[in-house]
C-alpha cells in the first residue's frame, strides 16, 4: 500500500475478509452484522471502532512517499524518478507520460487526489 495504489477490487476483497472475520470469528463465513461497517470505521473519538478506510489509508501512504520525494532530492529514488519521468520539470509539474511503471502511475494518481482536496 506504500508503493502502489490498490485497485478497488482488491480493497473490496480485503474489506470483505475483515467483515467476515469480525462478525463471525472465522474466515469466509458470514456472520450477523450488528452495526453498519461505515460506523465501525469511524474514529473511536466519534463512537466507532477505529478501523481504517483502506482507500484513504492507501492514498495517505502514497502521500507519505510523495513527501519523502520532495523533501530529499538527494535520495536514489528521487534521482531515478527524476531522470526517467520529470527530467526538465519539477515533481509537481510531472505528467504520467507514455511509458510508465505502476509505481509511478500510483504516485501520479495520489498526487492528483491530494491536489483535488480529497480530504
Amino acid at each position: 500500500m506504500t508503493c502502489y495504489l490498490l485497485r478497488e477490487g482488491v480493497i473490496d476483497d480485503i474489506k470483505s475478509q475483515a467483515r467476515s472475520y469480525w462478525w463471525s470469528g472465522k474466515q469466509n463465513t458470514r456472520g450477523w452484522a450488528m452495526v453498519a461497517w461505515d460506523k465501525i470505521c469511524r474514529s473511536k473519538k466519534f463512537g466507532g471502532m477505529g478501523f481504517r478506510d483502506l482507500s484513504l489509508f492507501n492514498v495517505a501512504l502514497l502521500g507519505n512517499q510523495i513527501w519523502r520525494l520532495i523533501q530529499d532530492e538527494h535520495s536514489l529514488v528521487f534521482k531515478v524518478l527524476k531522470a526517467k519521468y520529470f527530467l526538465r520539470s519539477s515533481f509537481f509539474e510531472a505528467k504520467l507520460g507514455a511509458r510508465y511503471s505502476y509505481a509511478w502511475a500510483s504516485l501520479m494518481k495520489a498526487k492528483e487526489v491530494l491536489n483535488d482536496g480529497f480530504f
Side-chain angles (χ1 to χ4, degrees):
M1 288 180 72
T2 301
C3 298
Y4 302 109
L5 187 65
L6 296 181
R7 299 180 194 274
E8 278 302 312
V10 173
I11 289 175
D12 290 342
D13 287 345
I14 293 170
K15 280 197 260 187
S16 175
Q17 290 293 322
R19 282 189 205 125
S20 172
Y21 185 78
W22 180 254
W23 293 125
S24 69
K26 302 175 190 160
Q27 267 187 320
N28 300 323
T29 305
R30 290 189 58 101
W32 182 49
M34 295 177 263
V35 180
W37 190 252
D38 63 329
K39 290 182 181 178
I40 287 179
C41 290
R42 288 183 191 161
S43 169
K44 289 180 182 180
K45 189 185 322 183
F46 298 111
M49 296 289 293
F51 286 25
R52 297 187 192 276
D53 180 331
L54 293 179
S55 297
L56 293 176
F57 190 57
N58 190 203
V59 171
L61 290 173
L62 288 168
N64 190 15
Q65 292 300 329
I66 291 170
W67 179 255
R68 287 181 184 174
L69 279 175
I70 61 176
Q71 289 299 310
D72 188 9
E73 295 182 357
H74 300 292
S75 69
L76 180 60
V77 69
F78 180 85
K79 291 176 183 178
V80 169
L81 291 175
K82 179 152 183 75
K84 184 162 175 89
Y85 298 114
F86 57 103
L87 187 59
R88 294 178 181 86
S89 65
S90 72
F91 175 79
F92 294 105
E93 298 167 340
K95 305 281 188 227
L96 193 56
R99 296 181 54 181
Y100 54 86
S101 67
Y102 190 69
W104 179 250
S106 296
L107 289 173
M108 291 293 99
K109 182 64 177 173
K111 181 179 80 164
E112 175 186 314
V113 168
L114 293 170
N115 279 342
D116 289 344
F118 187 77
F119 302 104

